[in-house]
Amino acid sequence: MQLVKVGLCAFGMSGKVFHAPFLKEHPGFFLSSIVERSKEDSKEKYPQTTIYRSVEEMLQNADIELVVVNTPVQTHFEYVKKALEAGKNVVVEKPFTVNVAEAEQLVRLAEEKGLFLSVYQNRRFDRDYLQVQKVMSEGKLGEIKEAEIRFDRFRTDPSGKAHKENPEATGSGSLHDLGSHLVDQAVQYFGFPEKLFADVFSMKGKAFANDYFEIILFYQNDLRVRLKSSVFTKEAHYAYAIHGEKGSFLQERSDNQENELVAGTIPAYGKDWTQPLKQADGILNFLNDHKETERILTSSEPGNYMNYYQQIYEFIVFGYALPSPAEEIIRNMKIIDAALESAAGERVVYL
């Protein structure tokens, strides 16, 4: 196989869990370089990888073809720009940037340099997201009239991470963090909305960045899509509620890849590596062709974050479609910017 050499910009939770294991196990990639500013935590699992003390130092390595920017969002613009100027293709963690203006500038630069820029929207490869996509494509629900997508947690204590919780840090808070997933999924399912109304604030108080949001997306065909997240949710809701003219589908947030990776599971290449479900994770209730009600308990198929890097590899080697290209993710950034504007002005914002 053609070998693609990769440089990883950080070795925190994102690097250890979402990137390095997949780059190591995929036979088409070689994790050539990792930035660790003072530690050498990567040496144990990745002894063949060179450790650099800064992103700038790593970018001087001419052999690196692909750079993964997985640093705090406030630094994404700076490091993606430097990587592109150094002639490197880039995968950047979500959220892409802190605002649309930064995102558009980076897309223009990538085009000028003839390089690719992809945003790591790994939740497109969650089992629950894929199951909802499958059910809607089967047409059993008919025309979709209303949908709700939630990503809730119970994290009432501060994390101590300033880049995520400092209200003065642009791009901090749940809207950029979890909202980047929910907005992306809504746009993938239903397209770009006409307008929105949003409520965004901090339940923990004004000393912290937003930890609660509710966004209502309005579509021209009268579809309403609600995106919601809270850190004060001890009892889980269904993560997806899809209601159509023929029925409803309720889907749990059942993907466990993140937890398994944190626990040390190795994401095997070319096969499913997650634990199987112990019970059904969805409910499909609809009127069949005979106008009779059918209620079915459904079980989703395994998701696999390896498929993101497989698609990156296939784009590089075979010219197949690039997963979550940056110019596509700009639409998500416009929705996030508009949600902040809507919440601040307590009004509907047209997109």
Side-chain angles (χ1 to χ4, degrees):
M1 297 179 72
Q2 178 179 329
L3 198 61
V4 177
K5 293 185 177 181
V6 185
L8 187 62
C9 286
F11 199 63
M13 191 268 196
S14 170
K16 293 175 182 177
V17 172
F18 293 116
H19 297 287
F22 295 95
L23 292 167
K24 180 183 179 182
E25 295 304 315
H26 193 294
F29 292 103
F30 174 63
L31 185 52
S32 169
S33 309
I34 295 176
V35 175
E36 291 193 73
R37 297 188 180 279
S38 58
K39 301 179 181 180
E40 294 191 354
D41 291 345
S42 62
K43 273 296 183 185
E44 180 180 351
K45 291 186 176 180
Y46 310 99
Q48 295 179 308
T49 298
T50 302
I51 294 176
Y52 290 94
R53 296 308 184 189
S54 71
V55 173
E56 291 80 4
E57 182 185 11
M58 184 182 73
L59 291 176
Q60 295 176 15
N61 185 341
D63 290 339
I64 296 174
E65 183 177 350
L66 174 65
V67 170
V68 178
V69 176
N70 60 322
T71 52
V73 63
Q74 292 82 8
T75 65
H76 283 187
F77 176 78
E78 174 189 358
Y79 290 144
V80 172
K81 186 171 184 288
K82 286 182 177 181
L84 293 171
E85 289 174 339
K88 314 299 184 184
N89 296 302
V90 177
V91 164
V92 58
E93 261 285 1
K94 64 81 206 166
F96 181 6
T97 57
V98 300
N99 56 45
V100 172
E102 287 187 351
E104 291 177 335
Q105 187 174 336
L106 293 176
V107 167
R108 287 195 299 269
L109 179 60
E111 291 174 348
E112 291 169 4
K113 295 287 187 178
L115 299 166
F116 76 76
L117 177 55
S118 172
V119 181
Y120 184 68
Q121 293 289 166
N122 63 309
R123 297 290 175 181
R124 294 187 188 184
F125 302 91
D126 278 356
R127 67 187 309 147
D128 35 65
Y129 166 78
L130 294 169
Q131 179 72 355
V132 173
Q133 192 175 57
K134 174 177 178 288
V135 168
M136 288 198 294
S137 69
E138 291 171 347
K140 291 184 175 68
L141 302 179
E143 182 181 353
I144 306 302
K145 297 294 186 179
E146 179 190 4
E148 180 176 74
I149 309 175
R150 305 181 64 116
F151 203 138
D152 295 313
R153 288 171 169 167
F154 188 70
R155 295 183 179 178
T156 58
D157 294 326
S159 70
K161 296 179 180 179
H163 67 279
K164 288 192 174 184
E165 293 188 332
N166 180 0
E168 304 300 320
T170 305
S172 62
S174 290
L175 180 61
H176 278 78
D177 185 18
L178 299 180
S180 62
H181 290 306
L182 301 192
V183 168
D184 182 68
Q185 292 184 355
V187 173
Q188 289 298 300
Y189 286 151
F190 307 110
F192 196 69
E194 177 187 11
K195 56 187 177 182
L196 63 78
F197 180 79
D199 181 20
V200 183
F201 74 104
S202 173
M203 285 186 165
K204 288 197 290 288
K206 294 183 179 180
F208 300 93
N210 65 78
D211 56 18
Y212 171 95
F213 64 82
E214 182 171 6
I215 308 170
I216 302 175
L217 304 176
F218 300 82
Y219 289 80
Q220 290 184 338
N221 60 352
D222 292 332
L223 168 67
R224 297 289 186 270
V225 177
R226 178 178 286 102
L227 310 178
K228 191 171 182 180
S229 178
S230 167
V231 293
F232 283 83
T233 306
K234 181 65 171 173
E235 186 68 26
H237 298 267
Y238 280 99
Y240 305 83
I242 314 296
H243 305 291
E245 59 183 353
K246 295 181 180 179
S248 298
F249 180 59
L250 305 178
Q251 172 66 46
E252 297 176 10
R253 187 169 297 285
S254 54
D255 194 278
N256 203 40
Q257 290 181 80
E258 179 176 341
N259 292 332
E260 292 187 43
L261 290 164
V262 169
T265 299
I266 303 300
Y269 174 76
K271 61 181 181 180
D272 295 332
W273 51 271
T274 57
Q275 293 295 316
L277 290 177
K278 295 181 180 179
Q279 58 189 22
D281 59 342
I283 300 173
L284 177 59
N285 190 322
F286 67 103
L287 295 175
N288 62 26
D289 293 340
H290 303 289
K291 302 296 182 181
E292 298 169 339
T293 296
E294 291 191 34
R295 189 178 187 275
I296 303 171
L297 298 181
T298 60
S299 296
S300 58
E301 296 296 322
N304 193 344
Y305 298 155
M306 183 68 80
N307 290 337
Y308 172 84
Y309 273 112
Q310 177 64 19
Q311 290 179 19
I312 289 289
Y313 185 79
E314 289 174 349
F315 173 81
I316 294 172
V317 177
F318 305 114
Y320 293 172
L322 181 68
S324 49
E327 56 269 27
E328 174 185 293
I329 305 303
I330 285 177
R331 299 181 302 173
N332 300 351
M333 299 299 303
K334 289 180 177 178
I335 291 173
I336 290 174
D337 280 9
L340 290 171
E341 179 185 347
S342 172
E346 298 181 346
R347 62 184 179 86
V348 171
V349 172
Y350 282 79
L351 295 160

